[in-house]
Amino acid sequence: MVCMKYRIERRRGVAAYQQIVEQTKRALRTGTLRVGDRLPTAREVAETCAVNPNTTLKAYRELEREGVVELRQGIGTFVARAPEPFVPDAGSTLHAELYEWTERALRSGMAEDDVRELLETALARYGDAAGDVLVTEERKGGPA
Amino acid sequence: MTRTSGTSGTTVRGTAPHEARVALELRELGRRYGRHWALRNATFRLPAGRVCGLVGPNGAGKTTMLEIIAGLRRPTRGEATVFGAPAGSAEARARVSFLPQEKPLFTRFSVADTLRMGRELNPGWDQALAEDFVRAGSVALDAKVGSLSGGQRTRIALAVALGKRPDLVLLDEPLAELDPLVRRQTVGALLAEVAERGITVLMSSHLVAELDTLCDYLLLVSRGGLRLAGDVDELISVHRLLSAHGDAVVDAPDGTPAGLEAHTVVQAQRERRQVSALVRPGGPVTDPWTAAAPTLEEVVLAYLEQGDADALISPNSHVPGTGTEVAA
Amino acid sequence: MSATTQEARRGSGPARAPRAAAPRRGFAPRGMVWLVWRQHRATFLVMLGGTVLATAALLYKGVYVHEAVAAVDGGDPTPGDDATVADAYSALQAYGAALAGLPFLVGAFVGAPLFAGDLESGTAKLVGVQSRSRTEWVATKLAVAALFSALAAGAMGAALHYYRAPLVEHDASQADFTLSNSFDSTGPVAVVLVLIGLLVGATVGLLFRRMLPSMVVTLVSLYVLNFAWELARMAFARLETVTTGGGRFGDDDRPRIPRDAVEIDLSYLRSDGSLTGWSTCVNAENGPACLREDGVVGWAVDYMPYSHFGAMQWTAAAALTGALLLIGVVTAYAARRTLR
């Protein structure tokens, strides 16, 4: 088993379980985790990282829903396949545009934090404008 | 969604599924000391398997509520049931552990004596679990309790609480006065037991920031009674933090900023040129407002500061037959 | 269920089985009794040690008192025997006074801290959230403390009784067994009184919840109760009366009472059978003439022989048990009020 260290931070708009999902996927992209590896049990995560086991299990269920991991009854949670790459390859248009935009923003005298905040505001605004406002009914992670 | 229901039919300790889903139910619970109501009209259900934070200002009755559930006090009004048994009954007491804020222990007992007390007084005592829990904190069994540090005492008190093999653990400000490292170890040890046995945890705290990564469920009480109850992710997701430039928003005659008519405004405030409002959205957010997801702390503070905001009780904590509003 | 948790449960499953209790040999307290013993064992051991020492010392000295009194009564005492007997009378007063203080001591140092200590330190909550009931906790604490208190009062009282017996039989006028320091410190009365002390202390502790104030209030309460008991005690005595008649009321004409009896009251007897106080005509110029004019014909003496001592002990103990039960009702109320 690979020793995964999850770290939950207080982040606006990112639920704790989503952070575990993200961190697991990041570990897969960077090669810390490979297909076939067993993820730590909720108990192990709780003990080493002080993460609520319900959060860990919710994240694992989300990862299973996405097909990234596989729950094998009585054995453990295993990485089934690498997550869909959603970061476009270096050299793609999106990549180039973002680099260009970032450079312009920083040149204009904005601090790094301002840039980050601007990006997050844009993301949040896009999310709300797209009708994500009423996620209430959807109840993410509700009974399947 | 509880761990119990998601576990392919396995339920906590072989109890019937419908019973196992509700760890705790309060109905119009109130307690009066003399003429002062320390707690009034608390009504909610706590699904089993959750790690639930209980927050509220000092004097909101958090300790009183926990003591009633633990069977240490009688309510003046209403009732509390633990896995279907009335709080304070022999059956309920056997399934509940309570760690008071002052973490009382017999200071002249050794650690081994303290664990023996647990063994002598609890039929379901798990000596191995308690001893492992103590050893994991590198506390010697023959050490005198009075000579231990605050963190070590917390661990011993928690060992007694967990060795009883409870189904519901009540903790009153468990992490106050602990240094960050010990706090992390204690939380880790407690959560490991949650993972191991699917126990339900209800812990009070006045530090909201401490709870939002730790708990998956939240109860907020204020002097007016219960304000919020529900899944943490859900409580956050049904709220939006709206902000706008102050010049772009005029206040309505009743003092609330204009442009929020579609939403349920929990709290709004104007600071210099910035107007912000925590709302439960009832439609699209319109200009000049911009929306962001709130943190749990922001949600909690808004409800605390605006004591008369409508209570928000999520369906899985709603007690049938009572008149509280149900979210969504 | 998630495979992760199931595996975790399976992995450490066997180790989690409750460990079987080790076999015990002989008598060992268990359950709530163990807790009460462990928590208060210092107090109980001090009580036990003090009781053993005091009882042994009284019995040891008592043997010499018995021998010395026998020698004096036999008419062949050595000078040492006379001294022993004389010393024994004053020592009896002191031992009796010390033993009569036992209810106060037990009330303040065993009864008052019994619950107030736990309420003050919060351990009442610790015990209150274990699986056993609060009623069992209160009852066990009281029962174990009562056992040691009764043992102390009973054993030391019996030893003092042994020490006192020859002295009373030799000359009860120097060893008044109806007074507090003798009557209250032996027999069933001593046991019931120490239990009252314990229960009053425990009740005050439950109501006041703090140790020091409870100890003070206990001492004050016991002082008041003791005062009432002082007034009530003689009501349980059955007295004998001896009279003289025929105008014999001079100081030399007082009737004799048995030497193991205590004189309780002395009056003049009139011819019509009525009594008048011994101070009648005490200021008259001619006392005898004044008395004769008043119709006095002799003396009347009320006395209590030592043979009535046992009966008085048991009736008094029965009445005190009634008081103990009444206090017990208050204790139950206080426990209910404080502990939930």
Side-chain angles (χ1 to χ4, degrees):
Chain A
M1 187 206 78
V2 179
C3 184
M4 264 305 284
K5 278 273 183 187
Y6 293 114
R7 201 158 159 269
I8 309 296
E9 294 169 331
R10 237 160 276 131
R11 279 164 62 193
R12 185 180 297 280
V14 188
Y17 83 96
Q18 286 168 336
Q19 297 186 37
I20 292 185
V21 169
E22 281 173 18
Q23 286 170 31
T24 309
K25 287 180 179 172
R26 196 178 307 136
L28 277 163
R29 280 196 300 276
T30 58
T32 317
L33 276 177
R34 296 209 180 82
V35 171
D37 281 346
R38 185 169 75 80
L39 293 181
T41 64
R43 184 197 159 92
E44 285 159 355
V45 176
E47 215 155 26
T48 54
C49 314
V51 173
N52 185 328
N54 293 334
T55 305
T56 309
L57 293 176
K58 192 170 176 180
Y60 286 4
R61 267 191 297 274
E62 176 68 19
L63 286 166
E64 190 192 26
R65 205 178 55 79
E66 293 177 17
V68 177
V69 303
E70 192 181 46
L71 304 185
R72 292 189 207 147
Q73 281 296 341
I75 305 171
T77 309
F78 293 86
V79 178
R81 64 173 174 79
E84 299 292 332
F86 58 83
V87 175
D89 297 332
S92 74
T93 327
L94 269 178
H95 220 115
E97 280 172 2
L98 184 61
Y99 274 136
E100 193 197 330
W101 177 83
T102 311
E103 195 182 340
R104 262 190 299 156
L106 290 172
R107 283 240 178 100
S108 77
M110 287 175 83
E112 269 187 41
D113 276 347
D114 298 333
V115 174
R116 205 170 286 127
E117 174 134 7
L118 189 58
L119 192 63
E120 272 177 15
T121 311
L123 280 171
R125 179 144 198 179
Y126 180 81
D128 281 341
D132 196 29
V133 166
L134 299 170
V135 286
T136 330
E137 294 294 345
E138 196 182 312
R139 188 149 296 139
K140 289 184 178 175
Chain B
M1 176 212 59
T2 66
R3 288 185 66 249
T4 317
S5 61
T7 53
S8 68
T10 330
T11 50
V12 177
R13 274 206 175 172
T15 41
H18 68 276
E19 189 196 333
R21 282 213 188 91
V22 179
L24 175 66
E25 181 174 311
L26 306 190
R27 274 178 189 264
E28 287 164 13
L29 196 71
R31 168 79 193 206
R32 195 179 55 198
Y33 297 108
R35 295 175 63 190
H36 166 71
W37 285 91
L39 173 73
R40 65 203 311 177
N41 208 23
T43 301
F44 70 88
R45 273 181 170 179
L46 177 60
R50 295 306 196 111
V51 179
C52 178
L54 174 62
V55 295
N58 289 334
K62 301 188 294 281
T63 299
T64 300
M65 183 193 285
L66 293 175
E67 288 185 345
I68 291 173
I69 299 165
L72 289 175
R73 282 188 197 286
R74 257 186 299 270
T76 312
R77 285 194 53 204
E79 58 175 354
T81 53
V82 178
F83 295 100
S89 68
E91 193 189 338
R93 295 155 50 83
R95 300 183 75 168
V96 178
S97 276
F98 174 45
L99 186 60
Q101 184 175 2
E102 58 274 28
K103 293 155 194 140
L105 290 170
F106 292 105
T107 48
R108 279 181 297 184
F109 281 27
S110 68
V111 173
D113 284 337
T114 305
L115 297 189
R116 176 151 182 205
M117 178 204 71
R119 190 169 85 216
E120 296 286 351
L121 300 187
N122 296 289
W125 181 255
D126 189 334
Q127 182 75 11
L129 185 153
E131 281 185 13
D132 291 350
F133 197 85
V134 167
R135 286 206 193 90
S138 17
V139 182
L141 283 174
D142 58 355
K144 278 267 179 290
V145 168
S147 69
L148 300 179
S149 68
Q152 289 172 319
R153 284 184 60 142
T154 301
R155 185 169 274 272
I156 305 305
L158 212 48
V160 174
L162 294 174
K164 187 182 177 182
R165 279 185 160 260
D167 294 318
L168 172 63
V169 179
L170 310 168
L171 308 165
D172 196 3
E173 301 278 357
L175 305 177
E177 299 157 30
L178 294 185
D179 66 61
L181 184 67
V182 175
R183 183 178 301 200
R184 193 185 161 82
Q185 285 173 349
T186 309
V187 167
L190 176 69
L191 292 176
E193 287 308 313
V194 173
E196 181 91 17
R197 301 198 41 242
I199 53 179
T200 311
V201 176
L202 177 58
M203 59 165 79
S204 76
S205 178
H206 61 271
L207 297 172
V208 186
E210 168 180 285
L211 290 177
D212 68 351
T213 58
L214 176 57
C215 299
D216 52 85
Y217 212 84
L218 186 95
L219 294 170
L220 170 62
V221 288
S222 70
R223 271 168 286 272
L226 193 68
R227 314 300 315 149
L228 278 175
D231 190 284
V232 166
D233 292 343
E234 209 172 288
L235 289 179
I236 293 174
S237 71
V238 299
H239 290 97
R240 278 289 179 277
L241 189 63
L242 305 186
S243 56
H245 197 276
D247 297 343
V249 178
V250 277
D251 284 356
D254 63 350
T256 55
L260 300 175
E261 294 77 13
H263 316 299
T264 308
V265 179
V266 177
Q267 187 222 17
Q269 61 184 17
R270 188 179 276 270
E271 266 176 30
R272 294 192 191 178
R273 299 212 192 101
Q274 175 85 9
V275 188
S276 61
L278 187 91
V279 303
R280 305 213 285 265
V285 174
T286 52
D287 276 336
W289 294 96
T290 54
T295 61
L296 182 66
E297 195 168 4
E298 284 162 344
V299 174
V300 165
L301 288 177
Y303 277 82
L304 281 179
E305 281 167 18
Q306 201 62 36
D308 54 352
D310 288 336
L312 180 67
I313 314 295
S314 83
N316 59 0
S317 45
H318 179 66
V319 178
T322 56
T324 28
E325 186 197 341
V326 177
Chain C
M1 130 177 258
S2 134
T4 44
T5 45
Q6 194 171 67
E7 185 211 34
R9 279 177 193 172
R10 181 176 295 176
S12 47
R16 294 274 176 226
R19 195 174 285 173
R24 294 156 196 265
R25 278 173 289 122
F27 170 78
R30 303 183 80 160
M32 196 60 89
V33 178
W34 175 84
L35 175 66
V36 173
W37 166 253
R38 176 61 192 84
Q39 187 190 352
H40 298 290
R41 68 183 177 193
T43 305
F44 295 148
L45 286 174
V46 166
M47 286 173 88
L48 205 61
T51 302
V52 168
L53 283 179
T55 306
L58 279 172
L59 291 175
Y60 177 78
K61 285 167 177 274
V63 170
Y64 288 96
V65 172
H66 273 261
E67 283 172 359
V69 169
V72 171
D73 285 350
D76 185 22
T78 63
D81 289 333
D82 285 324
T84 302
V85 172
D87 290 348
Y89 279 105
S90 54
L92 178 65
Q93 309 284 328
Y95 298 153
L99 273 189
L102 192 64
F104 292 85
L105 216 59
V106 166
F109 293 101
V110 182
L114 199 59
F115 297 106
D118 288 296
L119 290 166
E120 196 170 76
S121 69
T123 43
K125 283 185 189 171
L126 174 67
V127 180
V129 295
Q130 308 304 317
S131 302
R132 302 297 191 84
S133 76
R134 308 271 260 175
T135 313
E136 185 185 345
W137 182 60
V138 172
T140 310
K141 276 203 154 202
L142 286 174
V144 176
L147 183 76
F148 282 95
S149 307
L151 192 75
M156 292 191 286
L160 188 70
H161 185 86
Y162 170 76
Y163 184 93
R164 182 182 59 197
L167 297 172
V168 168
E169 280 156 13
H170 180 67
D171 179 9
S173 69
Q174 293 186 69
D176 189 341
F177 49 81
T178 63
L179 292 180
S180 165
N181 67 2
S182 197
F183 187 79
D184 293 351
S185 52
T186 60
V189 166
V191 174
V192 182
L193 282 176
V194 84
L195 293 181
I196 286 178
L198 175 74
L199 205 56
V200 166
T203 308
V204 169
L206 279 168
L207 291 173
F208 283 73
R209 312 177 67 107
R210 293 185 52 222
M211 223 141 74
L212 233 78
S214 300
M215 290 162 91
V216 174
V217 174
T218 299
L219 285 176
V220 172
S221 312
L222 288 177
Y223 182 80
V224 171
L225 288 175
N226 191 57
F227 184 75
W229 173 238
E230 284 289 339
L231 298 177
R233 188 187 304 112
M234 285 315 288
F236 303 98
R238 190 161 63 80
L239 302 181
E240 301 292 330
T241 306
V242 60
T243 57
T244 60
R248 283 177 293 145
F249 49 78
D251 281 349
D252 300 336
D253 300 327
R254 285 193 201 175
R256 286 272 180 90
I257 59 169
R259 66 172 184 168
D260 72 345
V262 175
E263 183 182 299
I264 305 299
D265 205 0
L266 172 71
S267 331
Y268 287 117
L269 179 72
R270 295 199 187 96
S271 53
D272 58 0
S274 65
L275 300 175
T276 183
W278 60 265
S279 57
T280 310
C281 297
V282 82
N283 291 324
E285 271 178 39
N286 185 345
C290 168
L291 285 168
R292 228 170 274 123
E293 206 159 288
D294 198 28
V296 169
V297 294
W299 289 104
V301 171
D302 289 338
Y303 68 94
M304 184 171 138
Y306 193 45
S307 57
H308 290 180
F309 178 77
M312 180 177 170
Q313 274 277 327
W314 287 106
T315 44
L320 286 169
T321 304
L324 181 71
L325 293 177
L326 281 179
I327 298 167
V329 172
V330 182
T331 314
Y333 163 78
R336 203 179 146 77
R337 198 187 103 121
T338 301
L339 296 177
R340 264 198 87 176

